[in-house]
Amino acid sequence: MAESVVVRTATERDVPGLRAVADHFRLLGRWPERPDFLDAERDFGTLVVGEVDGTIAGFGATLPRGRVTHLGDLFVLPDHQSSGAGRMILARLLPSGAPMMTFASADLRALALYVRRGMRPRCPLLYLSRPPQSARAPQSARPAESGRAARARNETLAGVALARPESDPLTPGARDVDAAAALDARISGGERIATLGWFAGLPGVTVRAAASGYAFVRVAGDSAVIGPAGGDTPQDCVEAVLEAADACSGAGSVEIAVPGTHPLLSLLLDAGWRIDDMDTLMTSEDLLRLDCYIPHPDLG
């Protein structure tokens, strides 16, 4: 007997079933407490669940970035992956003919779905981590600075701490968030000030912004995640990320997602970082400046 599949917008009542699917795929490891990226997808994008015979068997979600739709999630439990739920969720989420992007896992069935929806593989997206013994990249791993990059780094990229209100030392300054969001919009495909403002307000998040580069960093427990980050040039992006990594020198581990075409990749590997996992970065058209941009692993 064919399974009955229903795809609909997620509600608060769906949260336990939705998070059970997320836990099955170990999606919440970077988010020890709520709010998390699933809440962001509900608040700023679109989050839908796929029910099979009345039980939540999967979900999918998107976040807008200007006119670009970023597909952040598409997960269906193994017992229901031939039910058609994945195709129905994707059809509900991705507007026909609109620019779109995603990070595709190694599941070749999902890759084929994305290709049929109009996306093409652009490059590997590599997930790197820095073990504690590699707490600081050696100077030999850093590229030579241009005069502009050096001035920007010395003047303002030294940290958002200079601009934080004294009454709340953990809250990034509004001007830093606005500056970072403006840079992000130029290189990441479109504006997403609401999502980035929400992220900047979470515990443990700092924002480092200069005229030509920016980096968001979140520290949770003994771990840190860098991203999104970027710069007007590849070197500006490299400098912003290396400064952010230096600021995380006390963390037990630091994670980052790096497009395979980015010059930062070889620098980090030479400095002792290791590759833990890999996705495929896919877009429907040439949306991103892949040599100037470092996405957040979950927010894009």
Side-chain angles (χ1 to χ4, degrees), residues 130-132 134-137 204 206 208 215-227 240-255 273:
R130 185 187 69 187
S134 302
R136 181 178 292 270
T206 56
R208 311 170 72 82
F216 287 74
V217 180
R218 187 181 189 192
V219 177
D222 197 33
S223 300
V225 178
I226 298 174
V241 170
L242 293 180
E243 289 290 339
D246 284 348
C248 300
S249 59
S253 66
V254 185
E255 296 180 68
W273 294 59

Side-chain angles (χ1 to χ4, degrees), residues 48 68 73 90 92-93 137 152 201-202 208-209 246:
V48 301
V68 177
D73 296 300
L90 203 60
R92 174 75 173 265
L93 288 173
L202 295 181
R208 311 170 72 82
D246 284 348

Side-chain angles (χ1 to χ4, degrees), residues 8-191:
R8 56 177 177 78
T9 301
T11 68
E12 186 64 29
R13 290 185 302 174
D14 298 319
V15 168
L18 190 157
R19 290 179 186 279
V21 176
D23 287 339
H24 175 86
F25 291 100
R26 301 180 180 178
L27 304 180
L28 299 173
R30 300 184 188 93
W31 303 85
E33 59 184 27
R34 294 184 68 181
D36 53 35
F37 74 94
L38 295 175
D39 295 304
E41 290 168 340
R42 283 188 62 198
D43 290 344
F44 306 111
T46 302
L47 177 61
V48 301
V49 295
E51 287 185 330
V52 176
D53 295 334
T55 299
I56 293 177
F59 72 93
T62 60
L63 283 168
R65 194 179 306 180
R67 67 189 187 97
V68 177
T69 297
H70 172 72
L71 176 68
D73 296 300
L74 178 61
F75 293 95
V76 178
L77 293 173
D79 289 347
H80 302 289
Q81 288 179 356
S82 298
S83 65
R87 289 189 297 274
M88 292 175 64
I89 291 171
L90 203 60
R92 174 75 173 265
L93 288 173
L94 295 183
S96 178
M100 62 191 79
M101 61 175 293
T102 194
F103 306 153
S105 71
D107 189 330
L108 300 183
R109 293 169 298 180
L111 193 70
L113 278 177
Y114 302 146
V115 170
R116 286 197 290 268
R117 294 295 302 184
M119 288 185 271
R120 296 292 181 269
R122 301 300 174 183
C123 70
L125 182 66
L126 302 166
Y127 297 92
L128 279 69
S129 65
R130 185 187 69 187
Q133 62 267 26
S134 302
R136 181 178 292 270
Q139 289 296 320
S140 60
R142 294 178 181 272
E145 288 183 316
S146 66
R148 183 179 66 169
R151 287 194 300 274
R153 180 168 64 86
N154 292 334
E155 290 170 4
T156 54
L157 202 63
V160 72
L162 297 175
R164 291 181 194 148
E166 292 183 3
S167 60
D168 190 357
L170 295 181
T171 302
R175 286 188 298 177
D176 299 277
V177 177
D178 290 344
L183 277 165
D184 181 85
R186 295 206 297 267
I187 62 174
S188 75
E191 182 272 329

